[in-house]
Amino acid sequence: MEMTRERSQIKRHPERSVPAEAPEILAQGLVAHVGFCRDEQPFVLPFSYHYDPAKPNKLYLHGARASRALRHISSGAAVCVSVTLLDGLVYSRSAKFHSMNYRSVVLFGTARIVSEESEKAMLFEKMIARYFIGRKAGQDYEPAPSEHLSSTELVEVTIEELNAKARRGGPKGPHDADPDALGTCGVLLRDGEFGR
Ligand SMILES: Cc1cc2nc3c(=O)[nH]c(=O)nc-3n(C[C@H](O)[C@H](O)[C@H](O)COP(=O)(O)OP(=O)(O)OC[C@H]3O[C@@H](n4cnc5c(N)ncnc54)[C@H](O)[C@@H]3O)c2cc1C
């Protein structure tokens, strides 16, 4: 998916730009930080979300009808969403070169409310199966009744532009390749989280 334009061009460490990995990162992520401006005040709020690489330019948020954030962004306001996968903590023999291994996406878009009930039901079932792999409506839980669907807002973000960035590998300090230098270095891995 190539949707990178000027606004999403990575200037710092451009070699870490991995836009082709964006669908996989969004499909694996669990928390989306959703940014928007209201009356010149920026807000960034955490949300669960749904993303399916088969529909690479759509990301879904949901919440209570009363959610001020969802109401605001679905009124056509510009929205910026960030998703991060933390892959490791990198420690170096030099203070400055402590770092993190990560894969992250920043995307820009606009949102609308999805009001069609069957579309909402299908989306929520897919979202549950994304977080709780293999969990099925009618087998593992009761399908959402109409009153639950109507009291829950579903918001579809159309992704207009995005980029992904990744840092991989060990510490890059000037003494990290020298086993006789002072201190220790390495990477604390964070894998197998929630069986993913
Ligand atoms: C991991 C995670 C997943 C979440 N998933 C969802 C989701 O899928 N759907 C959903 O509706 N909500 C979710 N939330 C809660 C969400 O972050 C908002 O609190 C909620 O949507 C209410 O939004 P609002 O605009 O009505 O908040 P308001 O209550 O109107 O916000 C008023 C102010 O309260 C503060 N505030 C709001 N939320 C938070 C917060 N989470 N942490 C600290 N301060 C806050 C901010 O300063 C904000 O400006 C999630 C939170 C977390 C941490």
Side-chain angles (χ1 to χ4, degrees):
M1 183 173 55
E2 279 295 344
M3 298 174 76
T4 303
R5 292 192 282 275
E6 205 287 322
R7 182 172 47 168
S8 45
Q9 205 75 44
I10 291 174
K11 283 122 194 150
R12 172 121 185 99
H13 283 302
E15 76 285 0
R16 293 182 182 168
S17 175
V18 289
E21 293 183 30
E24 189 192 337
I25 296 166
L26 292 171
Q28 278 190 35
L30 296 175
V31 178
H33 285 94
V34 178
F36 56 90
C37 271
R38 194 169 55 209
D39 302 328
E40 298 192 25
Q41 169 65 57
F43 294 85
V44 179
L45 294 185
F47 278 85
S48 60
Y49 70 99
H50 184 64
Y51 179 83
D52 178 353
K55 285 168 92 179
N57 68 332
K58 304 288 183 192
L59 181 139
Y60 296 89
L61 303 170
H62 81 301
R65 271 268 151 90
S67 165
R68 293 199 310 163
L70 291 182
R71 257 192 286 145
H72 180 73
I73 65 169
S74 58
S75 70
V79 60
C80 178
V81 179
S82 173
V83 170
T84 298
L85 307 178
L86 181 59
D87 293 323
L89 298 178
V90 181
Y91 57 106
S92 166
R93 296 177 198 273
S94 310
K96 182 181 173 186
F97 290 88
H98 287 73
S99 188
M100 290 184 178
N101 281 341
Y102 62 84
R103 287 165 288 154
S104 56
V105 170
V106 173
L107 65 88
F108 301 92
T110 50
R112 71 168 184 110
I113 287 176
V114 176
S115 40
E116 222 278 297
E117 203 168 274
S118 60
E119 193 180 351
K120 287 171 81 171
M122 183 191 71
L123 226 295
F124 291 141
E125 287 175 16
K126 285 186 171 176
M127 184 172 175
I128 289 171
R130 190 177 86 83
Y131 277 88
F132 306 94
I133 293 160
R135 210 164 156 76
K136 283 198 179 79
Q139 175 185 299
D140 301 306
Y141 61 92
E142 282 184 11
S146 194
E147 64 266 30
H148 289 184
L149 293 171
S150 59
S151 63
T152 307
E153 207 76 277
L154 176 63
V155 170
E156 178 188 79
V157 178
T158 296
I159 303 170
E160 292 160 359
E161 204 177 320
L162 62 63
N163 209 340
K165 187 172 177 181
R167 189 217 186 264
R168 298 185 164 98
K172 300 185 193 321
H175 310 298
D176 289 327
D178 176 3
D180 298 325
L182 175 88
T184 57
C185 66
V187 180
L188 298 176
L189 292 176
R190 186 169 194 189
D191 50 12
E193 197 179 37
F194 301 123
R196 276 153 203 278

